[in-house]
Amino acid sequence: MTSSRPRVIAVAMQKGGVGKTTSTINLGYHLAEEGLAVLVIDADQQAHSTSGLGVELGDDDASLYEVLHRERQMRVPLREAIHSTAFGLDLVPADLALKELETGGLGPGGQMRLARQLDEVTDYDVVLIDCPPALGSMTEAALAAADDVLAVLEAGPDEIRALIRLGEAVMDVQDGLNPDLEIRFVLLANYEGGTRVAQSVRDGLVRDWGAWDAGGAYLGEIPHTIRVREAKDRAVPVAVHAPTSSAAVAYKDAAKRVAERVRA
């Protein structure tokens, strides 16, 4: 592949603490294992994807902040902000400077700035954008640049409401910036199947979004396991820390499904 613009997937949810960054890192890792060229873009000022992939910025290193800077003379091309990682994929890192763009806006034309930069990138098959947990300037820029949205949530009523809000945000972006954008992947993370609440949420997602094998958007569940937290503490993908763990196997299966649709 890698002969045209990559498939751009915004990993998003209008709520924090649902496994969005963990899913970005682990799906990216397994997509690379599937033979795809993968770029992760960390669009969250908390920079958890950056630290989770073991990247530390030096004083002269560019981040997404410089790529999207409001002042033209301060910007750098996306290519100049790409860092390699130890896990077979590349990263455009984030840092706290993104807070300035999140709160102050991206300036004239800024919502489409990331989309225009990605039009120039042909080295990758897949780009995963780790979005902030709120609909601000950075999430809007990510949604404007994306082909698809991958919604990550846990099993709870607040998370279902957040998914509804994300759907509304996608419709807003469709109206003004990106008419082809859709939530085409839904992933249930940190799943504890022994509870009735979790089972009910899962069944509702399958019903509302469609089973994957039937052409729907529901990717499946990532089981709850302490191995995910341990891997996060080590700043490595789960499959590197505990390759036979239930979460590692589930992320691998989910990545295979995403890869099939990317290749199709």
Side-chain angles (χ1 to χ4, degrees):
M1 298 178 72
T2 66
S3 60
S4 58
R5 186 183 189 271
R7 180 78 165 261
V8 181
I9 303 173
V11 184
M13 182 49 61
Q14 304 302 296
K15 186 181 184 300
V18 295
K20 177 174 53 61
T21 294
T22 297
S23 296
T24 302
I25 290 170
N26 286 283
L27 289 173
Y29 174 80
H30 286 295
L31 286 169
E33 278 199 322
E34 288 289 312
L36 297 176
V38 179
L39 175 66
V40 169
I41 297 179
D42 192 347
D44 189 345
Q45 63 188 17
Q46 298 178 85
H48 291 322
S49 278
T50 300
S51 59
L53 286 167
V55 173
E56 296 184 6
L57 292 179
D59 292 339
D60 298 325
D61 289 333
S63 72
L64 188 62
Y65 172 73
E66 284 77 22
V67 176
L68 300 181
H69 201 284
R70 288 194 297 267
E71 302 297 330
R72 185 183 299 272
Q73 64 272 21
M74 298 293 292
R75 293 176 205 152
V76 302
L78 183 69
R79 291 183 182 281
E80 293 186 15
I82 294 175
H83 296 245
S84 61
T85 76
F87 307 112
L89 50 83
D90 291 345
L91 171 76
V92 175
D95 57 21
L96 281 173
L98 281 179
K99 182 177 181 180
E100 175 188 324
L101 302 182
E102 183 72 7
T103 58
L106 296 169
Q111 289 175 314
M112 296 302 298
R113 196 167 295 141
L114 181 57
R116 290 193 296 269
Q117 286 287 326
L118 285 170
D119 284 340
E120 304 300 320
V121 175
T122 59
D123 306 275
Y124 300 96
D125 300 309
V126 182
V127 175
L128 299 177
I129 307 177
D130 184 13
C131 298
L135 184 62
S137 296
M138 300 308 301
T139 299
E140 289 179 352
L143 295 179
D147 300 298
D148 316 298
V149 176
L150 193 162
V152 180
L153 71 159
E154 293 186 357
D158 290 343
E159 287 77 5
I160 293 298
R161 285 190 286 270
L163 178 58
I164 293 170
R165 292 196 299 272
L166 176 61
E168 293 169 348
V170 168
M171 287 190 288
D172 289 342
V173 172
Q174 287 173 340
D175 289 341
L177 298 170
N178 189 353
D180 297 325
L181 184 67
E182 295 281 355
I183 299 176
R184 294 189 174 93
F185 307 97
V186 177
L187 183 66
L188 188 56
N190 201 29
Y191 180 69
E192 297 186 76
T195 69
R196 290 185 178 180
V197 170
Q199 292 171 7
S200 177
V201 169
R202 178 197 175 277
D203 292 346
L205 291 174
V206 173
R207 180 186 66 246
D208 295 341
W209 293 92
W212 187 265
D213 293 343
Y218 184 65
L219 274 171
E221 310 88 43
I222 307 300
H224 170 79
T225 168
I226 191 61
R227 302 302 177 216
V228 172
R229 168 58 66 179
E230 292 172 351
K232 185 176 180 180
D233 290 343
R234 289 184 56 196
V236 299
V238 179
V240 173
H241 171 62
T244 61
S245 66
S246 58
V249 172
Y251 272 123
K252 184 173 184 177
D253 289 343
K256 284 183 177 180
R257 291 177 165 184
V258 174
E260 287 171 1
R261 289 205 178 164
V262 168
R263 291 188 170 110

